[in-house]
Coordinates of all heavy atoms in Angstrom, one line a residue:
M264 N -0.8 -24.6 -125.0 CA -0.8 -25.4 -123.9 C -2.1 -26.2 -123.8 O -3.2 -25.6 -123.9 CB -0.6 -24.6 -122.6 CG 0.3 -25.3 -121.6 SD 0.3 -24.5 -120.1 CE 1.9 -23.8 -120.1
T265 N -2.1 -27.4 -123.6 CA -3.3 -28.2 -123.6 C -3.9 -28.3 -122.2 O -3.2 -28.0 -121.2 CB -3.0 -29.6 -124.1 OG1 -2.2 -30.3 -123.2 CG2 -2.4 -29.6 -125.5
Q266 N -5.1 -28.7 -122.1 CA -5.8 -28.8 -120.8 C -5.1 -29.9 -119.9 O -5.0 -29.7 -118.7 CB -7.2 -29.2 -121.1 CG -8.1 -29.2 -119.8 CD -8.2 -27.9 -119.2 OE1 -8.1 -26.8 -119.8 NE2 -8.4 -27.9 -117.9
Q267 N -4.6 -30.9 -120.6 CA -4.0 -32.0 -119.8 C -2.6 -31.5 -119.2 O -2.3 -31.8 -118.1 CB -3.7 -33.2 -120.7 CG -3.2 -34.4 -120.0 CD -3.0 -35.6 -120.9 OE1 -3.1 -35.5 -122.1 NE2 -2.7 -36.7 -120.3
T268 N -1.9 -30.7 -119.9 CA -0.7 -30.1 -119.4 C -0.9 -29.1 -118.3 O -0.2 -29.1 -117.3 CB 0.1 -29.3 -120.6 OG1 0.2 -30.2 -121.7 CG2 1.4 -28.9 -120.1
K269 N -2.0 -28.3 -118.4 CA -2.4 -27.4 -117.3 C -2.7 -28.2 -116.0 O -2.3 -27.9 -114.9 CB -3.5 -26.5 -117.7 CG -3.2 -25.4 -118.6 CD -4.4 -24.5 -118.9 CE -4.0 -23.4 -119.8 NZ -5.2 -22.5 -120.0
N270 N -3.5 -29.3 -116.2 CA -4.0 -30.1 -115.1 C -2.7 -30.8 -114.5 O -2.6 -30.8 -113.2 CB -5.0 -31.1 -115.5 CG -6.3 -30.5 -115.8 OD1 -6.6 -29.4 -115.4 ND2 -7.2 -31.3 -116.5
S271 N -1.8 -31.2 -115.3 CA -0.6 -31.9 -114.8 C 0.2 -30.9 -114.0 O 0.7 -31.2 -112.9 CB 0.2 -32.5 -115.9 OG 1.4 -33.0 -115.4
R272 N 0.3 -29.7 -114.5 CA 1.1 -28.6 -113.8 C 0.4 -28.2 -112.5 O 1.1 -28.0 -111.5 CB 1.2 -27.4 -114.7 CG 2.2 -26.3 -114.2 CD 2.3 -25.2 -115.1 NE 3.2 -25.6 -116.2 CZ 3.4 -24.9 -117.3 NH1 2.8 -23.8 -117.5 NH2 4.3 -25.4 -118.2
N273 N -0.9 -28.1 -112.5 CA -1.6 -27.8 -111.3 C -1.5 -28.9 -110.2 O -1.3 -28.6 -109.0 CB -3.1 -27.5 -111.6 CG -3.4 -26.2 -112.3 OD1 -2.5 -25.3 -112.2 ND2 -4.5 -26.1 -112.9
I274 N -1.5 -30.1 -110.7 CA -1.4 -31.2 -109.7 C 0.0 -31.2 -109.1 O 0.2 -31.4 -107.9 CB -1.7 -32.6 -110.4 CG1 -3.2 -32.7 -110.8 CG2 -1.2 -33.7 -109.6 CD1 -3.5 -33.9 -111.6
K275 N 1.0 -30.9 -109.9 CA 2.4 -30.8 -109.4 C 2.5 -29.7 -108.4 O 3.1 -29.8 -107.3 CB 3.4 -30.7 -110.5 CG 3.6 -31.9 -111.4 CD 4.6 -31.7 -112.5 CE 4.7 -32.9 -113.4 NZ 5.6 -32.7 -114.5
Y276 N 1.9 -28.5 -108.8 CA 2.0 -27.4 -107.9 C 1.3 -27.7 -106.5 O 1.8 -27.3 -105.5 CB 1.3 -26.2 -108.6 CG 1.2 -24.9 -107.7 CD1 2.3 -24.2 -107.4 CD2 0.0 -24.6 -107.2 CE1 2.2 -23.0 -106.6 CE2 -0.2 -23.5 -106.4 CZ 1.0 -22.7 -106.1 OH 0.8 -21.6 -105.3
L277 N 0.1 -28.2 -106.6 CA -0.6 -28.6 -105.4 C 0.1 -29.6 -104.6 O 0.1 -29.6 -103.3 CB -2.0 -29.1 -105.7 CG -3.0 -28.0 -106.3 CD1 -4.3 -28.6 -106.7 CD2 -3.2 -26.9 -105.2
T278 N 0.8 -30.6 -105.2 CA 1.6 -31.6 -104.5 C 2.7 -30.9 -103.8 O 3.0 -31.2 -102.6 CB 2.1 -32.7 -105.5 OG1 0.9 -33.2 -106.2 CG2 2.8 -33.7 -104.8
V279 N 3.4 -30.0 -104.5 CA 4.5 -29.3 -103.8 C 4.0 -28.5 -102.7 O 4.7 -28.5 -101.6 CB 5.3 -28.4 -104.9 CG1 6.3 -27.5 -104.2 CG2 6.0 -29.3 -105.9
M280 N 2.9 -27.8 -102.8 CA 2.4 -27.0 -101.7 C 2.0 -27.9 -100.5 O 2.2 -27.6 -99.4 CB 1.2 -26.2 -102.2 CG 1.5 -25.1 -103.2 SD 2.7 -23.9 -102.4 CE 1.6 -23.2 -101.2
A281 N 1.3 -29.0 -100.8 CA 0.9 -29.9 -99.8 C 2.1 -30.5 -99.0 O 2.1 -30.6 -97.8 CB 0.1 -31.1 -100.4
V282 N 3.1 -30.9 -99.7 CA 4.3 -31.4 -99.1 C 5.0 -30.3 -98.3 O 5.5 -30.6 -97.1 CB 5.3 -32.0 -100.2 CG1 6.7 -32.3 -99.6 CG2 4.7 -33.2 -100.8
T283 N 5.0 -29.1 -98.8 CA 5.6 -28.0 -98.0 C 4.8 -27.7 -96.7 O 5.4 -27.6 -95.6 CB 5.6 -26.7 -98.9 OG1 6.4 -27.0 -100.1 CG2 6.3 -25.5 -98.1
V284 N 3.5 -27.7 -96.8 CA 2.7 -27.5 -95.6 C 2.9 -28.6 -94.7 O 3.0 -28.4 -93.4 CB 1.2 -27.3 -96.0 CG1 0.3 -27.4 -94.8 CG2 1.0 -26.0 -96.8
L285 N 2.9 -29.8 -95.1 CA 3.1 -31.0 -94.3 C 4.5 -30.9 -93.6 O 4.6 -31.1 -92.4 CB 3.0 -32.3 -95.1 CG 3.1 -33.6 -94.3 CD1 2.0 -33.7 -93.3 CD2 3.1 -34.7 -95.2
F286 N 5.5 -30.5 -94.3 CA 6.8 -30.3 -93.7 C 6.8 -29.3 -92.6 O 7.4 -29.5 -91.5 CB 7.8 -30.0 -94.8 CG 9.2 -29.8 -94.4 CD1 10.0 -30.9 -94.0 CD2 9.8 -28.6 -94.3 CE1 11.3 -30.8 -93.5 CE2 11.1 -28.4 -93.8 CZ 11.9 -29.5 -93.5
V287 N 6.2 -28.1 -92.9 CA 6.1 -27.1 -91.9 C 5.4 -27.6 -90.6 O 5.8 -27.3 -89.5 CB 5.5 -25.8 -92.5 CG1 5.1 -24.8 -91.4 CG2 6.4 -25.2 -93.5
L288 N 4.3 -28.3 -90.8 CA 3.5 -28.8 -89.7 C 4.3 -29.8 -88.9 O 4.3 -29.8 -87.6 CB 2.2 -29.4 -90.2 CG 1.1 -28.5 -90.7 CD1 0.0 -29.2 -91.3 CD2 0.7 -27.5 -89.6
I289 N 5.1 -30.6 -89.6 CA 6.0 -31.6 -88.9 C 7.0 -30.8 -88.0 O 7.3 -31.2 -86.9 CB 6.6 -32.6 -89.8 CG1 5.5 -33.5 -90.4 CG2 7.7 -33.3 -89.2 CD1 6.0 -34.4 -91.5
L290 N 7.6 -29.8 -88.6 CA 8.6 -29.0 -87.9 C 8.0 -28.3 -86.7 O 8.6 -28.3 -85.6 CB 9.2 -27.9 -88.8 CG 10.2 -28.4 -89.8 CD1 10.7 -27.3 -90.7 CD2 11.4 -29.1 -89.1
V291 N 6.8 -27.8 -86.8 CA 6.1 -27.2 -85.7 C 5.8 -28.2 -84.6 O 6.0 -27.9 -83.4 CB 4.8 -26.5 -86.2 CG1 3.9 -26.0 -85.0 CG2 5.1 -25.3 -87.0
A292 N 5.3 -29.4 -85.0 CA 5.0 -30.4 -84.0 C 6.3 -30.9 -83.3 O 6.3 -31.0 -82.0 CB 4.4 -31.6 -84.7
I293 N 7.4 -31.0 -84.0 CA 8.7 -31.4 -83.3 C 9.1 -30.3 -82.4 O 9.5 -30.6 -81.2 CB 9.7 -31.7 -84.4 CG1 9.4 -33.0 -85.1 CG2 11.1 -31.8 -83.8 CD1 10.3 -33.3 -86.3
T294 N 9.0 -29.1 -82.8 CA 9.4 -27.9 -81.9 C 8.5 -27.9 -80.6 O 9.1 -27.8 -79.5 CB 9.2 -26.6 -82.7 OG1 10.0 -26.6 -83.8 CG2 9.6 -25.4 -81.8
L295 N 7.2 -28.1 -80.8 CA 6.4 -28.2 -79.6 C 6.7 -29.3 -78.7 O 6.6 -29.2 -77.5 CB 4.9 -28.2 -80.1 CG 4.4 -26.9 -80.7 CD1 2.9 -27.2 -81.3 CD2 4.4 -25.8 -79.8
I296 N 7.0 -30.5 -79.3 CA 7.3 -31.6 -78.4 C 8.6 -31.4 -77.7 O 8.7 -31.7 -76.5 CB 7.4 -32.9 -79.3 CG1 6.1 -33.3 -79.8 CG2 8.1 -34.0 -78.5 CD1 6.1 -34.4 -80.9
V297 N 9.6 -30.8 -78.3 CA 10.9 -30.5 -77.7 C 10.7 -29.5 -76.5 O 11.2 -29.6 -75.4 CB 11.9 -30.0 -78.7 CG1 13.1 -29.3 -78.0 CG2 12.4 -31.1 -79.6
Q298 N 9.9 -28.4 -76.8 CA 9.6 -27.4 -75.8 C 8.8 -28.1 -74.6 O 9.1 -27.7 -73.5 CB 8.7 -26.3 -76.4 CG 9.5 -25.4 -77.3 CD 8.7 -24.3 -77.9 OE1 7.5 -24.3 -77.9 NE2 9.3 -23.3 -78.4
K299 N 7.9 -29.0 -74.9 CA 7.2 -29.6 -73.8 C 8.1 -30.4 -72.9 O 8.0 -30.4 -71.7 CB 6.1 -30.5 -74.4 CG 5.2 -31.2 -73.4 CD 4.2 -32.1 -74.0 CE 3.4 -32.7 -72.8 NZ 3.0 -34.1 -73.1
V300 N 9.0 -31.2 -73.5 CA 10.0 -32.0 -72.8 C 10.8 -31.1 -71.9 O 11.1 -31.4 -70.7 CB 10.8 -32.9 -73.7 CG1 12.0 -33.5 -73.0 CG2 9.9 -33.9 -74.4
Q301 N 11.3 -30.0 -72.5 CA 12.1 -29.0 -71.7 C 11.4 -28.4 -70.6 O 11.9 -28.3 -69.5 CB 12.7 -27.9 -72.7 CG 13.7 -28.4 -73.6 CD 14.1 -27.3 -74.6 OE1 13.4 -26.4 -74.8 NE2 15.2 -27.5 -75.3
L302 N 10.1 -28.1 -70.8 CA 9.3 -27.5 -69.7 C 9.0 -28.5 -68.6 O 9.0 -28.2 -67.4 CB 8.0 -26.9 -70.3 CG 8.1 -25.7 -71.1 CD1 6.8 -25.3 -71.7 CD2 8.6 -24.5 -70.2
E303 N 8.8 -29.8 -69.0 CA 8.6 -30.8 -68.0 C 9.8 -31.1 -67.2 O 9.7 -31.2 -66.0 CB 8.1 -32.1 -68.7 CG 6.7 -32.1 -69.2 CD 6.3 -33.3 -70.0 OE1 7.2 -34.2 -70.3 OE2 5.1 -33.4 -70.3
N304 N 11.0 -31.0 -67.8 CA 12.2 -31.2 -67.1 C 12.4 -30.0 -66.1 O 12.8 -30.2 -65.0 CB 13.4 -31.3 -68.0 CG 13.5 -32.6 -68.7 OD1 13.0 -33.6 -68.2 ND2 14.1 -32.7 -69.8
R305 N 12.1 -28.8 -66.6 CA 12.3 -27.6 -65.8 C 11.3 -27.7 -64.6 O 11.7 -27.3 -63.4 CB 12.0 -26.4 -66.6 CG 12.1 -25.1 -65.8 CD 13.6 -24.8 -65.5 NE 13.7 -23.5 -64.9 CZ 14.5 -23.2 -63.8 NH1 15.3 -24.2 -63.4 NH2 14.4 -22.1 -63.3
K306 N 10.1 -28.1 -64.8 CA 9.1 -28.3 -63.8 C 9.6 -29.3 -62.7 O 9.4 -29.0 -61.5 CB 7.8 -28.7 -64.4 CG 6.7 -28.9 -63.4 CD 5.4 -29.4 -64.1 CE 4.3 -29.7 -63.1 NZ 3.1 -30.3 -63.7
R307 N 10.1 -30.4 -63.2 CA 10.6 -31.4 -62.3 C 11.7 -30.9 -61.4 O 11.7 -31.0 -60.2 CB 11.1 -32.6 -63.0 CG 11.6 -33.8 -62.2 CD 12.2 -34.9 -63.0 NE 13.2 -34.5 -64.0 CZ 14.5 -34.1 -63.7 NH1 14.9 -34.1 -62.5 NH2 15.3 -33.7 -64.7
I308 N 12.6 -30.1 -62.0 CA 13.7 -29.5 -61.3 C 13.2 -28.5 -60.2 O 13.7 -28.5 -59.1 CB 14.7 -28.8 -62.2 CG1 15.5 -29.9 -63.0 CG2 15.7 -27.9 -61.5 CD1 16.3 -29.3 -64.2
L309 N 12.3 -27.7 -60.6 CA 11.7 -26.7 -59.7 C 10.9 -27.4 -58.6 O 11.0 -26.9 -57.4 CB 10.8 -25.7 -60.5 CG 11.5 -24.8 -61.4 CD1 10.5 -24.0 -62.2 CD2 12.4 -23.8 -60.6
Q310 N 10.2 -28.5 -58.9 CA 9.5 -29.2 -57.8 C 10.5 -29.8 -56.8 O 10.3 -29.8 -55.6 CB 8.7 -30.3 -58.4 CG 7.4 -29.8 -59.1 CD 6.6 -30.8 -59.8 OE1 7.2 -31.8 -60.2 NE2 5.3 -30.6 -60.0
E311 N 11.7 -30.3 -57.3 CA 12.7 -30.8 -56.4 C 13.3 -29.7 -55.6 O 13.5 -29.9 -54.4 CB 13.8 -31.5 -57.2 CG 13.4 -32.8 -57.9 CD 14.5 -33.3 -58.9 OE1 15.5 -32.7 -59.0 OE2 14.3 -34.4 -59.4
Q312 N 13.5 -28.5 -56.2 CA 14.0 -27.4 -55.4 C 13.0 -27.0 -54.3 O 13.4 -26.6 -53.2 CB 14.3 -26.2 -56.3 CG 15.6 -26.5 -57.2 CD 15.8 -25.3 -58.1 OE1 15.0 -24.5 -58.4 NE2 17.0 -25.3 -58.7
I313 N 11.7 -27.0 -54.7 CA 10.7 -26.6 -53.7 C 10.7 -27.6 -52.6 O 10.6 -27.2 -51.4 CB 9.3 -26.6 -54.4 CG1 9.2 -25.3 -55.3 CG2 8.2 -26.5 -53.4 CD1 7.9 -25.3 -56.2
A314 N 10.8 -28.9 -52.8 CA 10.8 -29.9 -51.8 C 12.0 -29.7 -50.9 O 11.9 -29.8 -49.7 CB 10.8 -31.3 -52.4
Y315 N 13.2 -29.4 -51.5 CA 14.4 -29.1 -50.7 C 14.2 -27.9 -49.8 O 14.6 -28.0 -48.6 CB 15.6 -28.9 -51.7 CG 16.8 -28.4 -51.0 CD1 17.6 -29.2 -50.2 CD2 17.2 -27.1 -51.1 CE1 18.7 -28.7 -49.6 CE2 18.3 -26.6 -50.5 CZ 19.1 -27.4 -49.7 OH 20.2 -26.9 -49.1
Y316 N 13.7 -26.8 -50.4 CA 13.6 -25.6 -49.6 C 12.5 -25.8 -48.5 O 12.6 -25.2 -47.4 CB 13.3 -24.4 -50.4 CG 14.6 -24.0 -51.2 CD1 14.7 -24.0 -52.5 CD2 15.7 -23.6 -50.4 CE1 15.8 -23.6 -53.2 CE2 16.9 -23.2 -51.1 CZ 16.9 -23.2 -52.4 OH 18.1 -22.8 -53.1
Q317 N 11.5 -26.6 -48.7 CA 10.5 -26.8 -47.7 C 11.1 -27.6 -46.6 O 10.8 -27.3 -45.4 CB 9.3 -27.6 -48.3 CG 8.4 -26.7 -49.1 CD 7.3 -27.5 -49.8 OE1 7.4 -28.7 -50.0 NE2 6.2 -26.8 -50.2
T318 N 11.9 -28.6 -46.9 CA 12.6 -29.4 -45.9 C 13.6 -28.4 -45.1 O 13.6 -28.5 -43.9 CB 13.4 -30.5 -46.5 OG1 12.5 -31.3 -47.2 CG2 14.1 -31.4 -45.5
L319 N 14.3 -27.6 -45.8 CA 15.2 -26.7 -45.2 C 14.5 -25.7 -44.3 O 14.9 -25.4 -43.1 CB 16.0 -25.9 -46.3 CG 17.1 -25.0 -45.8 CD1 18.2 -25.8 -45.1 CD2 17.7 -24.2 -47.0
K320 N 13.3 -25.2 -44.7 CA 12.5 -24.3 -43.9 C 12.1 -25.0 -42.6 O 12.1 -24.5 -41.5 CB 11.3 -23.9 -44.7 CG 10.4 -23.0 -43.9 CD 9.1 -22.6 -44.8 CE 8.1 -21.9 -43.9 NZ 6.8 -21.9 -44.5
A321 N 11.6 -26.3 -42.7 CA 11.2 -27.0 -41.6 C 12.3 -27.2 -40.6 O 12.1 -27.1 -39.4 CB 10.6 -28.4 -42.0
D322 N 13.5 -27.5 -41.1 CA 14.7 -27.7 -40.2 C 15.0 -26.4 -39.5 O 15.3 -26.4 -38.3 CB 15.9 -28.2 -41.0 CG 15.7 -29.6 -41.5 OD1 14.9 -30.3 -41.0 OD2 16.5 -30.0 -42.4
K323 N 15.0 -25.3 -40.2 CA 15.3 -24.0 -39.6 C 14.2 -23.6 -38.6 O 14.5 -23.0 -37.6 CB 15.4 -22.9 -40.7 CG 16.5 -23.1 -41.6 CD 17.9 -23.2 -40.9 CE 19.0 -23.5 -41.9 NZ 20.3 -23.6 -41.2
E324 N 12.9 -23.9 -38.9 CA 11.9 -23.6 -37.9 C 12.1 -24.5 -36.6 O 11.9 -24.0 -35.5 CB 10.5 -23.9 -38.5 CG 10.1 -22.9 -39.5 CD 8.8 -23.3 -40.2 OE1 8.3 -24.4 -40.1 OE2 8.2 -22.4 -40.9
D325 N 12.6 -25.7 -36.8 CA 12.9 -26.5 -35.6 C 14.0 -25.9 -34.8 O 14.0 -25.9 -33.6 CB 13.2 -28.0 -36.1 CG 12.0 -28.7 -36.6 OD1 10.9 -28.3 -36.3 OD2 12.2 -29.8 -37.2
Q326 N 15.1 -25.5 -35.6 CA 16.2 -24.8 -34.9 C 15.8 -23.6 -34.1 O 16.2 -23.3 -33.0 CB 17.3 -24.5 -35.9 CG 18.0 -25.7 -36.4 CD 19.1 -25.4 -37.5 OE1 19.3 -24.2 -37.8 NE2 19.7 -26.4 -38.0
L327 N 14.9 -22.8 -34.7 CA 14.4 -21.6 -34.1 C 13.6 -21.9 -32.8 O 13.7 -21.3 -31.8 CB 13.6 -20.7 -35.0 CG 14.3 -19.9 -36.1 CD1 13.4 -19.3 -37.1 CD2 15.2 -18.9 -35.4
A328 N 12.8 -23.0 -32.9 CA 12.0 -23.4 -31.8 C 12.9 -23.8 -30.6 O 12.7 -23.6 -29.5 CB 11.0 -24.5 -32.2
L329 N 14.0 -24.5 -31.0 CA 15.0 -25.0 -30.0 C 15.7 -23.8 -29.4 O 15.9 -23.8 -28.2 CB 16.0 -25.9 -30.7 CG 17.2 -26.4 -29.8 CD1 16.6 -27.3 -28.7 CD2 18.2 -27.2 -30.6
R330 N 15.9 -22.8 -30.1 CA 16.6 -21.6 -29.6 C 15.7 -20.8 -28.6 O 16.2 -19.9 -27.9 CB 17.1 -20.7 -30.7 CG 18.2 -21.3 -31.5 CD 18.7 -20.4 -32.5 NE 19.8 -21.0 -33.3 CZ 20.6 -20.4 -34.1 NH1 20.5 -19.1 -34.3 NH2 21.5 -21.1 -34.7
D331 N 14.5 -21.1 -28.6 CA 13.6 -20.4 -27.6 C 13.6 -21.1 -26.3 O 12.9 -20.7 -25.3 CB 12.1 -20.4 -28.1 CG 11.9 -19.4 -29.2 OD1 12.7 -18.5 -29.3 OD2 10.9 -19.5 -30.0
T332 N 14.4 -22.2 -26.1 CA 14.4 -22.9 -24.9 C 15.5 -22.4 -24.0 O 16.6 -21.9 -24.4 CB 14.6 -24.4 -25.1 OG1 15.9 -24.6 -25.7 CG2 13.5 -25.0 -26.0
Y333 N 15.3 -22.6 -22.7 CA 16.3 -22.2 -21.7 C 17.6 -23.1 -21.8 O 18.7 -22.6 -21.7 CB 15.7 -22.3 -20.3 CG 16.7 -21.9 -19.2 CD1 17.0 -20.5 -19.0 CD2 17.4 -22.8 -18.5 CE1 17.9 -20.2 -18.0 CE2 18.3 -22.5 -17.5 CZ 18.6 -21.1 -17.3 OH 19.5 -20.8 -16.3
E334 N 17.4 -24.3 -22.1 CA 18.5 -25.3 -22.3 C 19.4 -24.9 -23.4 O 20.7 -25.0 -23.2 CB 18.0 -26.7 -22.5 CG 17.2 -27.4 -21.4 CD 15.8 -26.9 -21.2 OE1 15.3 -26.2 -22.2 OE2 15.2 -27.1 -20.1
W335 N 18.9 -24.4 -24.5 CA 19.8 -24.0 -25.6 C 20.6 -22.8 -25.2 O 21.8 -22.7 -25.4 CB 19.0 -23.6 -26.8 CG 19.8 -23.2 -28.0 CD1 20.4 -24.0 -28.9 CD2 20.2 -21.9 -28.3 NE1 21.1 -23.2 -29.8 CE2 21.0 -21.9 -29.5 CE3 19.9 -20.6 -27.8 CZ2 21.5 -20.8 -30.1 CZ3 20.4 -19.5 -28.4 CH2 21.2 -19.6 -29.5
L336 N 19.9 -21.8 -24.5 CA 20.6 -20.6 -24.0 C 21.8 -21.0 -23.0 O 22.9 -20.5 -23.1 CB 19.6 -19.7 -23.4 CG 20.2 -18.3 -22.9 CD1 20.8 -17.6 -24.0 CD2 19.1 -17.6 -22.2
E337 N 21.5 -21.9 -22.1 CA 22.5 -22.4 -21.2 C 23.6 -23.0 -21.9 O 24.8 -22.8 -21.6 CB 21.9 -23.3 -20.2 CG 22.8 -23.8 -19.1 CD 22.2 -24.8 -18.1 OE1 20.9 -24.8 -18.1 OE2 22.9 -25.5 -17.5
Q338 N 23.3 -23.9 -22.9 CA 24.4 -24.6 -23.6 C 25.3 -23.6 -24.4 O 26.5 -23.7 -24.4 CB 23.8 -25.5 -24.6 CG 24.8 -26.2 -25.5 CD 24.1 -27.0 -26.7 OE1 22.9 -27.0 -26.8 NE2 25.0 -27.6 -27.5
Q339 N 24.7 -22.6 -25.0 CA 25.5 -21.5 -25.7 C 26.4 -20.8 -24.7 O 27.5 -20.5 -25.0 CB 24.5 -20.6 -26.4 CG 23.8 -21.2 -27.6 CD 24.7 -21.9 -28.6 OE1 25.6 -21.3 -29.1 NE2 24.4 -23.1 -28.9
A340 N 25.8 -20.5 -23.5 CA 26.6 -19.7 -22.5 C 27.8 -20.6 -22.1 O 28.9 -20.1 -21.9 CB 25.7 -19.4 -21.3
R341 N 27.6 -21.9 -21.9 CA 28.6 -22.8 -21.5 C 29.7 -22.8 -22.6 O 30.9 -22.8 -22.3 CB 28.1 -24.2 -21.2 CG 27.4 -24.3 -19.9 CD 27.1 -25.8 -19.6 NE 26.1 -25.9 -18.5 CZ 26.4 -25.7 -17.2 NH1 27.6 -25.3 -16.9 NH2 25.5 -25.8 -16.3
E342 N 29.3 -22.9 -23.9 CA 30.3 -23.0 -25.0 C 31.1 -21.7 -25.1 O 32.2 -21.7 -25.5 CB 29.5 -23.3 -26.3 CG 29.0 -24.7 -26.4 CD 28.2 -25.0 -27.7 OE1 28.2 -24.1 -28.6 OE2 27.6 -26.1 -27.8
L343 N 30.5 -20.6 -24.7 CA 31.2 -19.3 -24.7 C 32.0 -19.0 -23.5 O 32.7 -18.0 -23.4 CB 30.2 -18.2 -25.0 CG 29.5 -18.2 -26.3 CD1 28.4 -17.1 -26.4 CD2 30.6 -17.9 -27.4
G344 N 31.9 -20.0 -22.5 CA 32.7 -19.8 -21.3 C 32.1 -18.9 -20.3 O 32.7 -18.4 -19.3
M345 N 30.8 -18.6 -20.5 CA 30.1 -17.7 -19.5 C 29.6 -18.4 -18.3 O 29.3 -17.8 -17.3 CB 29.0 -17.0 -20.3 CG 29.4 -16.2 -21.5 SD 28.1 -15.6 -22.4 CE 27.8 -14.0 -21.6
I346 N 29.6 -19.7 -18.4 CA 29.1 -20.6 -17.3 C 30.1 -21.7 -17.2 O 30.5 -22.3 -18.1 CB 27.7 -21.2 -17.5 CG1 26.7 -20.0 -17.7 CG2 27.3 -22.1 -16.4 CD1 25.3 -20.6 -18.1
D347 N 30.6 -22.0 -15.9 CA 31.5 -23.1 -15.7 C 30.7 -24.4 -15.8 O 29.5 -24.5 -15.5 CB 32.2 -22.9 -14.3 CG 33.1 -21.7 -14.3 OD1 33.7 -21.4 -15.4 OD2 33.3 -21.1 -13.2
K348 N 31.5 -25.4 -16.1 CA 30.9 -26.8 -16.2 C 30.3 -27.3 -14.9 O 29.3 -28.0 -14.9 CB 31.9 -27.7 -16.8 CG 32.4 -27.3 -18.2 CD 32.4 -28.5 -19.1 CE 33.0 -28.1 -20.4 NZ 32.1 -27.6 -21.3
D349 N 31.0 -26.9 -13.8 CA 30.5 -27.4 -12.5 C 29.5 -26.5 -11.8 O 29.1 -26.8 -10.7 CB 31.7 -27.7 -11.6 CG 32.5 -26.4 -11.4 OD1 32.3 -25.5 -12.1 OD2 33.4 -26.5 -10.5
E350 N 29.2 -25.4 -12.5 CA 28.3 -24.4 -11.9 C 26.8 -24.9 -12.0 O 26.4 -25.5 -13.0 CB 28.4 -23.1 -12.6 CG 27.7 -22.0 -12.0 CD 28.1 -20.7 -12.7 OE1 29.0 -20.7 -13.6 OE2 27.5 -19.7 -12.4
T351 N 26.1 -24.7 -10.9 CA 24.7 -25.1 -10.9 C 23.8 -23.9 -11.2 O 24.0 -22.9 -10.6 CB 24.3 -25.7 -9.5 OG1 25.1 -26.8 -9.2 CG2 22.8 -26.1 -9.5
L352 N 22.9 -24.1 -12.1 CA 22.0 -23.0 -12.5 C 20.6 -23.4 -12.2 O 20.2 -24.6 -12.1 CB 22.1 -22.7 -14.0 CG 23.4 -22.2 -14.5 CD1 23.3 -22.1 -16.0 CD2 23.8 -20.9 -13.9
F353 N 19.8 -22.4 -11.9 CA 18.4 -22.6 -11.6 C 17.6 -22.0 -12.7 O 17.7 -20.9 -13.1 CB 18.0 -22.0 -10.3 CG 18.7 -22.6 -9.1 CD1 19.9 -22.0 -8.6 CD2 18.3 -23.8 -8.5 CE1 20.6 -22.5 -7.6 CE2 19.0 -24.3 -7.5 CZ 20.1 -23.7 -7.0
A354 N 16.7 -22.9 -13.3 CA 15.9 -22.4 -14.5 C 14.8 -21.5 -14.0 O 14.2 -21.8 -12.9 CB 15.4 -23.6 -15.2
P355 N 14.5 -20.5 -14.7 CA 13.3 -19.7 -14.4 C 12.0 -20.4 -14.5 O 11.9 -21.3 -15.4 CB 13.4 -18.5 -15.3 CG 14.2 -19.0 -16.5 CD 15.1 -20.1 -16.0
N356 N 11.1 -20.1 -13.8 CA 9.7 -20.8 -13.9 C 8.9 -20.2 -15.0 O 8.7 -19.3 -15.4 CB 9.0 -20.6 -12.5 CG 9.7 -21.4 -11.5 OD1 10.3 -22.4 -11.7 ND2 9.6 -20.9 -10.2

């Protein structure tokens, strides 16, 4: 085997190795990009859910605050038939 044949074989081997490494790096980059996009979508969905639940929480807190009022209690009693519509009630001080 001549020196030129060895050099040619080494160059081919190194070229194949370089192409293989480049291919693997491209696959890793594509995988990372896909994972990043999926994570960003998941993050967006979770942020939307957080906003929804914060709104829901605020609404429920408002409803709870309303239930602490005498007017709400009276309305519920009227709806349950515990107080007649023409009955006059006096609110506590």
Side-chain angles (χ1 to χ4, degrees):
M264 218 189 253
T265 66
Q266 185 65 26
Q267 187 178 9
T268 307
K269 283 184 181 181
N270 286 342
S271 177
R272 186 176 285 171
N273 285 340
I274 290 174
K275 287 179 184 178
Y276 174 74
L277 290 175
T278 303
V279 168
M280 289 301 293
V282 169
T283 303
V284 168
L285 183 62
F286 180 72
V287 169
L288 289 176
I289 289 171
L290 286 178
V291 168
I293 290 171
T294 302
L295 290 175
I296 290 169
V297 167
Q298 287 178 345
K299 181 181 180 216
V300 168
Q301 289 173 341
L302 287 174
E303 286 175 353
N304 286 336
R305 181 72 178 140
K306 179 182 175 183
R307 181 186 50 78
I308 290 169
L309 290 173
Q310 287 173 334
E311 289 172 359
Q312 288 177 347
I313 288 170
Y315 168 75
Y316 286 117
Q317 286 174 337
T318 304
L319 187 63
K320 178 185 172 197
D322 290 345
K323 296 300 176 186
E324 287 173 347
D325 291 344
Q326 288 177 3
L327 284 174
L329 178 65
R330 289 182 183 196
D331 284 341
T332 64
Y333 181 78
E334 291 79 14
W335 181 85
L336 183 60
E337 182 180 343
Q338 177 189 0
Q339 295 303 310
R341 286 189 192 283
E342 288 177 8
L343 292 172
M345 300 171 89
I346 302 173
D347 292 331
K348 298 223 185 277
D349 58 347
E350 192 173 350
T351 303
L352 296 178
F353 297 96
N356 292 330

